[in-house]
Every structure is written in structure tokens, then in C-alpha cells.
Amino acid sequence: MSKLSGFPEFLPAERNVELIVLDHLRTVFDLHGFASIETRAVETMDQLLRKGEIDKEVYVLRRLQAGEGDSDSGMGLHFDLTVPFARYVLENAGKLEFPFRRYQIQKVWRGERPQQGRFREFTQADIDIVAKDELPFHFDVEVAQVMAEALSGLPVPQLTLQVSNRKVLEGFYLGLGIAEPTAVMPIVDKLDKVPADKIAEQLQTDAGLTAEQAATCLALADVRTTDESFVEAVRALGVTHPLLDEGLEELRQVVIGAAGAKGVDIVADLRIARGLDYYTGTVFETRMAGYEHLGSICSGGRYDQLASDGKNTYPGVGISLGVSRLLVPLVADGLTADRSVPSTVLVALVDEESRAASVDVASALRARGIPAEVAASAQKFGKQIRYAERRGIPFVWFPANGDEPHKVRDIRVGDQADADPATWAPPAGDLKPRILRTPSKEQNT
């Protein structure tokens, strides 16, 4: 039977990696006071397409025997977590306290052509802060800080969080005398995929720029610094506009505020524009060292029109981590956990007649929060130990037998000692599965 492409599935040890990552993300988000929500998997087609996201292939939901006018027609699976969040805010605005800080970790579905880093079903982890009518800028800095902290604790190669600001770009383009800045941004945003000379041509043919304006736009896109020196680099280009001044100060605050997270470089990168037109200020993209071909694995920004009911507007700022895009390639290259089960202890079985005694030991351990399982059958102890080894279970417990006391063995090193089920505890690091790396297929050849 062939696998269904675009729907990744993990083996148990690999799934433990994902669980460890998700637990870490939840812990960081909780520590910063973000409330966890979960929205339904389906939205109306009107809701899904309200921002003009027609380039996303939406999976339409339909019962096999549904009639044309049935009430559940016209629904689809959500392709991101921002659209359902906007709907959630509008429906619950009277019950939420603003500014509302939320995180959401869920599956999403997108009808894309499956390839490395792109799937039809995948997990995203989003954080957003949304307010009513006005959202102070300091929340842009906070979102960057929180996600940088969350990323810094992940078992992944070095990450680069690229930060830009649409106000910088729009103000710069206006200062150049460009009447339609929004026509320029999507073209410049393609610089990672299209050569600069081709971008210059498109700016002239598609956006109506002069050759000099196009060259100056490309000069702005070349500005990339790990500190606030980008401000002077932009100033040196000789363009002025009040919106540019505002954007440069905002970007400076984000770069300074988010810096310092271990394993995450914060870079002001003025080629980052984000092609979606609903971004209005700060924008984020994130690259992973050695996996740049995946594109951005964590993106977002400020959107001053997240949702509106005609009377009130709800601006927001947020960032979304593609958990599956991040992990699936790493797992394929050898990222795994040290065990395929949560069990810390395998309680050996002397014989079937003494199974109750082994179950009592396991129950005593579990009562104190130590994951334990009883051996499946009363094989020779050597075979029971090998059973534990294959699953990565670090300890085997030998129940008391006659005058012999309970004993527990660390099968990784062979150390064995007397133990009491009511008091024994493993080292804290052995209580749960841990992430480790194994050689990739390429390294073995």
C-alpha cells in the first residue's frame, strides 16, 4: 500500500519529538499569559475567501449524499488559523477582554502540490494579540520576543528571524514619488526566488517605475543588519518621508527588543515585504540554517484590519510557526527521541502467577507520576530486557521474590540497586522521552 502524499505521519519515537516541541511551545506561550483556544476545523466558504485568498486551494466539505440546498453545504476546511481567529473574535467580542492574547495549535488543510516543507495536512502554532479599535505598537515587540524565546528552545539548527516593516517600504516608495507602493511590494518580495535584474524589469513593466526608481528600490532591499545600523543605511539612500521615519523607529524597537534569544538571530531585512496586502506594519519571516530551500518556517506581522463588524475594528499582530514544515524534514534527516514509548520503567514478570505483584509495583510507580508498564509475557529476563531496549525504556524493575528485595536496573549502563516502589524515583531527565539525533541516511553511506 502506497502512502498518501501530503499527509505526514510519524513513527512513535518521531511523534515523541513532535510532542516535546508542542509542549515546549505551550509552556512558553503560557508563561507569557497567552490564552489557549481551539476553533472548529470548518468555516463557511464566504469566510474562507473573504480576504481574497483564492490562491489557496480550499478543501470543500460535503456529505456524500448531500443535496444542493442542504444546510451544511458551502463549507470548507480552514487553510490557516488567522481566518478562523478573526471570525472567533467577532463572534465572541462581547465576552473577551481586550487586548486579547491567544495561542492556537491545530491542524490545517491546504490543497497544495506536496513537496518538501509543503503538505496538504499540517500543524501550525500561532500567537496573536488583538485589541479593539487601537493596538499599541509595543505589542509588536512583545510578539517578536515571545516567538524568539519559543524558537530558541527548539532542537533545530540556527534560525534567523527576519524583521521588516511595511511602513518603511511604503514610506520609502512614496518618498521616491511612486504613486502605488502596494504594487511594488509583492514584486520585491520575490527577490529570494527571482534574480535582481528580473525584479528590476518587473518593477518597470508591471509597476510603472523608472529605471532609477527600480534601482533605488533594489538598494533598499539590500539593507540587512543584525543591529539598528539599518537606520543609517536607509538614510544614506537619500529618501525622506514621514511614514518612513515612523517605520524605521518601529523596526528599530523590534530588532532591539527581540534580540538575545539563544539560537535565533534577529535581522532587519528590508527585502521582506510579505506578499499579502493585509499587513500594515511589522512583518516577520524565519529561515532555518541548512534548510533555506523550505522558505519561511515562521511568518506573520501586524494587520490593522484583522476583523470588523462595521462599528468596531479589531487590529492585531501575530506570528505563525509551521510545526510540520519545521519538523518533517528534520525527522527525515534523523531527528528522533530516545524512546518510542513514554514508559520510564518496565516491570519484569517472573511468571504469570505473580503478574498481580508486578502490576502492584507499576501502580505504585504511576501513583507518583512515574510512567511504567508491565512486561507482556514471562519470558527469560534477558528477553524482557531486550524488549525494553528496543523501545528505549531506561529502567527494568525486578519485583521482590522470596528473600530477594525489589531491584531496579539502569539497562543503559548495567547498574542495579535495591529499590522501594513507594520511594524510588529516576533522575529527572529520565522521566520523559528526550530528543536526540541519529545519523541521516546520507551520513551512513
Side-chain angles (χ1 to χ4, degrees), residues 339 344 394-395 410 412 424-432 434:
R339 60 184 100 157
T344 304
F395 296 96
D410 183 338
R412 298 165 297 184
W424 178 86
D430 290 328
L431 196 58
K432 294 181 178 181
R434 290 180 290 186

Short mmCIF file of all heavy atoms in Angstrom, two decimals, residues 339 344 394-395 410 412 424-432 434:
data_model
loop_
_atom_site.label_atom_id
_atom_site.label_comp_id
_atom_site.label_asym_id
_atom_site.label_seq_id
_atom_site.Cartn_x
_atom_site.Cartn_y
_atom_site.Cartn_z
N ARG A 339 13.20 7.24 23.02
CA ARG A 339 12.32 6.10 23.22
C ARG A 339 11.05 6.25 22.41
O ARG A 339 10.66 7.37 22.06
CB ARG A 339 12.00 5.88 24.70
CG ARG A 339 11.31 7.04 25.39
CD ARG A 339 11.09 6.80 26.90
NE ARG A 339 12.08 7.47 27.71
CZ ARG A 339 11.89 7.81 28.99
NH1 ARG A 339 10.75 7.49 29.59
NH2 ARG A 339 12.81 8.43 29.68
N THR A 344 9.03 4.94 31.56
CA THR A 344 10.36 5.08 32.16
C THR A 344 10.84 3.74 32.71
O THR A 344 12.04 3.45 32.74
CB THR A 344 10.32 6.11 33.30
OG1 THR A 344 9.83 7.36 32.79
CG2 THR A 344 11.69 6.32 33.91
N PRO A 394 14.45 3.08 29.85
CA PRO A 394 15.77 3.06 30.50
C PRO A 394 15.91 2.13 31.71
O PRO A 394 17.02 1.69 32.01
CB PRO A 394 15.97 4.52 30.92
CG PRO A 394 14.60 5.09 31.04
CD PRO A 394 13.75 4.38 30.04
N PHE A 395 14.79 1.83 32.41
CA PHE A 395 14.90 1.05 33.64
C PHE A 395 14.02 -0.21 33.58
O PHE A 395 12.90 -0.18 33.08
CB PHE A 395 14.48 1.89 34.86
CG PHE A 395 15.37 3.07 35.10
CD1 PHE A 395 15.04 4.33 34.62
CD2 PHE A 395 16.56 2.93 35.81
CE1 PHE A 395 15.86 5.43 34.83
CE2 PHE A 395 17.39 4.02 36.03
CZ PHE A 395 17.04 5.26 35.54
N ASP A 410 19.37 0.12 35.62
CA ASP A 410 19.53 1.04 34.50
C ASP A 410 20.18 0.25 33.38
O ASP A 410 21.38 -0.01 33.42
CB ASP A 410 20.39 2.24 34.91
CG ASP A 410 20.52 3.28 33.81
OD1 ASP A 410 20.32 2.93 32.63
OD2 ASP A 410 20.86 4.44 34.11
N ARG A 412 20.95 0.88 30.45
CA ARG A 412 21.88 1.58 29.56
C ARG A 412 23.32 1.38 30.02
O ARG A 412 24.24 1.35 29.19
CB ARG A 412 21.54 3.07 29.51
CG ARG A 412 20.17 3.37 28.95
CD ARG A 412 19.73 4.79 29.26
NE ARG A 412 19.60 5.01 30.70
CZ ARG A 412 19.15 6.14 31.25
NH1 ARG A 412 18.80 7.16 30.46
NH2 ARG A 412 19.05 6.27 32.56
N TRP A 424 11.31 5.05 45.36
CA TRP A 424 12.31 5.18 44.28
C TRP A 424 11.83 6.16 43.21
O TRP A 424 10.64 6.21 42.87
CB TRP A 424 12.58 3.82 43.65
CG TRP A 424 13.56 3.88 42.50
CD1 TRP A 424 14.92 3.84 42.58
CD2 TRP A 424 13.25 4.03 41.10
NE1 TRP A 424 15.48 3.94 41.32
CE2 TRP A 424 14.48 4.06 40.40
CE3 TRP A 424 12.05 4.14 40.38
CZ2 TRP A 424 14.54 4.18 39.02
CZ3 TRP A 424 12.12 4.28 39.01
CH2 TRP A 424 13.35 4.29 38.34
N ALA A 425 12.77 6.91 42.67
CA ALA A 425 12.46 7.81 41.55
C ALA A 425 13.65 7.85 40.61
O ALA A 425 14.80 7.78 41.05
CB ALA A 425 12.13 9.20 42.05
N PRO A 426 13.40 7.94 39.32
CA PRO A 426 14.50 8.05 38.37
C PRO A 426 15.07 9.47 38.38
O PRO A 426 14.43 10.39 38.91
CB PRO A 426 13.82 7.76 37.03
CG PRO A 426 12.44 8.30 37.22
CD PRO A 426 12.09 8.02 38.65
N PRO A 427 16.24 9.67 37.79
CA PRO A 427 16.71 11.05 37.61
C PRO A 427 15.68 11.84 36.81
O PRO A 427 14.99 11.29 35.94
CB PRO A 427 18.02 10.86 36.81
CG PRO A 427 18.47 9.46 37.13
CD PRO A 427 17.21 8.67 37.32
N ALA A 428 15.57 13.13 37.09
CA ALA A 428 14.53 13.96 36.46
C ALA A 428 14.61 13.90 34.93
O ALA A 428 13.58 13.89 34.25
CB ALA A 428 14.67 15.40 36.94
N GLY A 429 15.81 13.82 34.39
CA GLY A 429 15.97 13.79 32.95
C GLY A 429 15.48 12.53 32.29
O GLY A 429 15.31 12.49 31.06
N ASP A 430 15.26 11.47 33.08
CA ASP A 430 14.79 10.19 32.53
C ASP A 430 13.28 10.01 32.65
O ASP A 430 12.75 8.99 32.22
CB ASP A 430 15.49 9.02 33.23
CG ASP A 430 16.96 8.92 32.87
OD1 ASP A 430 17.30 9.28 31.72
OD2 ASP A 430 17.76 8.49 33.72
N LEU A 431 12.60 10.99 33.23
CA LEU A 431 11.18 10.81 33.49
C LEU A 431 10.36 10.84 32.20
O LEU A 431 9.33 10.16 32.11
CB LEU A 431 10.69 11.90 34.45
CG LEU A 431 9.34 11.67 35.12
CD1 LEU A 431 9.33 10.37 35.91
CD2 LEU A 431 9.00 12.85 36.04
N LYS A 432 10.81 11.57 31.22
CA LYS A 432 10.09 11.67 29.96
C LYS A 432 11.04 11.42 28.79
O LYS A 432 12.26 11.54 28.94
CB LYS A 432 9.45 13.06 29.81
CG LYS A 432 8.36 13.37 30.83
CD LYS A 432 7.78 14.75 30.58
CE LYS A 432 6.65 15.06 31.55
NZ LYS A 432 6.06 16.41 31.30
N ARG A 434 13.34 12.06 25.64
CA ARG A 434 14.18 13.20 25.29
C ARG A 434 14.54 13.14 23.81
O ARG A 434 14.59 12.07 23.22
CB ARG A 434 15.46 13.21 26.13
CG ARG A 434 15.24 13.53 27.59
CD ARG A 434 16.53 13.52 28.37
NE ARG A 434 17.08 12.18 28.51
CZ ARG A 434 18.14 11.88 29.25
NH1 ARG A 434 18.79 12.85 29.89
NH2 ARG A 434 18.58 10.65 29.34
#
